[in-house]
Amino acid sequence: MFWVLFAIVAWVAGLSLNVWLARQRPSRWAALAAPIVFGLTLIAVWEGVVHGFDINQVLLPAPSVIAARIATSLDILWIDFVQTVIKGALSGYIIGCGAAFLTALAIDRFPFLQRGLLPVGNFVAALPIIGMAPIMVMWFGFGWQSKAAIVVVMVFFPMLVNTVQGLQASDAMQRDLMRTYAAGYWRTLLKLRLPAAMPFVFNGLKIGTTLALIGAIVAEFFGSPVLGMGFRISTSVGQLALDLVWAEIVVAAIAGSAFYGIMALIEGRVTFWHPSQRT
């Protein structure tokens, strides 16, 4: 009974605090406090519901059990983090986004490429990851290279489409003004069109942060050495070690949120002039 009352009180207190924060003048601290309060409320309710209704820990471990498992498995979680996030997701993300950006510049410079490359990119983006992962493992082996290849395929098309769209964001009057200053293609690109495209480019980069992590983890289900988040999740489920599975999920969620947050911070510094960044 205590835990049920604890969950109810935590939910009411968290809801009341979030309502109070929503009524405050918009500020950076309020924007940060609201999701933190909401997340802590969900964790408290989760803890209360699991203990209050005596839910089997195999079905749904309590947050305290997951936290204890994280504390006792830091070495395993760190090895899996390096293998999946640093080697697989981050390397594939950099290669895929960089290649998409350069391809978008080529498409912009030579418009006939748009009619040929964009349909091919759309076709590749529609390929299911569960079909591509075994093929990539056969091509690049069981190491992180095959996971990075999957990530490249997943992030390439969103980045390409956003960058191509962004390079067309400047209007005709602005481009005509640059021509009156005798600016050629490359000067116009650097001084006008690339800055105007930055909000679109960062949209592609932010979308790619989540796709990269998902792709690297799922790809490890189809072939991996004895380490990595996907490998650990698949083997731990078979062993009914659900606390370790949830520990890996928590680490992946934190890594993905941090990755997205870093890109959002960089976007705020680069595109400070854009209306979306004004407070």
Side-chain angles (χ1 to χ4, degrees):
M1 190 64 180
F2 166 78
W3 285 106
V4 175
L5 291 176
F6 173 81
I8 295 173
V9 171
W11 177 257
V12 173
L15 181 62
S16 302
L17 185 54
N18 264 319
V19 170
W20 179 80
L21 288 171
R23 293 174 178 173
Q24 303 305 305
R25 176 181 294 182
S27 61
R28 187 174 297 274
W29 75 267
L32 292 175
I36 293 175
V37 170
F38 186 74
L40 292 176
T41 302
L42 287 181
I43 292 174
V45 172
W46 180 358
E47 185 80 23
V49 168
V50 170
H51 289 293
F53 293 96
D54 197 21
I55 298 176
N56 194 313
Q57 296 294 320
V58 173
L59 298 178
L60 183 64
S64 57
V65 175
I66 298 172
R69 183 64 186 218
I70 292 174
T72 57
S73 305
L74 289 177
D75 53 343
I76 296 175
L77 295 173
W78 172 251
I79 293 173
D80 293 342
F81 174 83
V82 172
Q83 175 72 15
T84 302
V85 179
I86 303 300
K87 293 182 178 180
L90 186 58
S91 60
Y93 176 83
I94 294 173
I95 296 172
C97 290
F101 183 80
L102 295 177
T103 304
L105 292 180
I107 289 175
D108 182 74
R109 185 68 180 91
F110 306 104
F112 73 91
L113 293 176
Q114 183 170 356
R115 294 188 293 271
L117 289 180
L118 285 185
V120 174
N122 189 18
F123 172 78
V124 173
L127 295 175
I129 183 174
I130 59 174
M132 290 295 297
I135 296 174
M136 292 299 178
V137 170
M138 292 176 62
W139 287 359
F140 298 101
F142 290 93
W144 62 267
Q145 294 86 350
S146 58
K147 289 50 177 192
I150 289 290
V151 174
V152 169
V153 173
M154 292 189 67
V155 305
F156 181 85
F157 186 68
M159 183 66 183
L160 176 65
V161 171
N162 277 278
T163 305
V164 170
Q165 187 68 29
L167 291 173
Q168 300 171 357
S170 58
D171 56 42
M173 185 176 295
Q174 292 172 324
R175 293 192 294 271
D176 289 342
L177 179 61
M178 293 297 292
R179 280 193 289 269
T180 62
Y181 293 151
Y185 171 81
W186 292 108
R187 185 173 294 275
T188 302
L189 179 68
L190 294 175
K191 298 295 185 180
L192 171 64
R193 304 182 66 205
L194 271 182
M198 283 298 107
F200 295 85
V201 172
F202 276 99
N203 279 340
L205 291 173
K206 290 189 293 185
I207 292 172
T209 57
T210 54
L211 290 178
L213 196 56
I214 293 171
I217 292 175
V218 173
E220 288 180 343
F221 290 171
F222 299 91
S224 175
V226 290
L227 69 164
M229 290 182 173
F231 167 82
R232 199 74 59 190
I233 290 172
S234 61
T235 56
S236 298
V237 168
Q239 299 167 355
L240 295 182
L242 272 299
D243 53 349
L244 183 56
V245 172
W246 279 97
E248 294 282 357
I249 292 173
V250 169
V251 172
I254 293 174
S257 300
F259 197 4
Y260 184 93
I262 291 171
M263 296 311 303
L265 287 175
I266 298 174
E267 179 186 17
R269 299 295 186 270
V270 175
T271 62
F272 61 90
W273 49 269
H274 196 262
S276 63
Q277 302 298 328
R278 298 173 187 168
T279 58

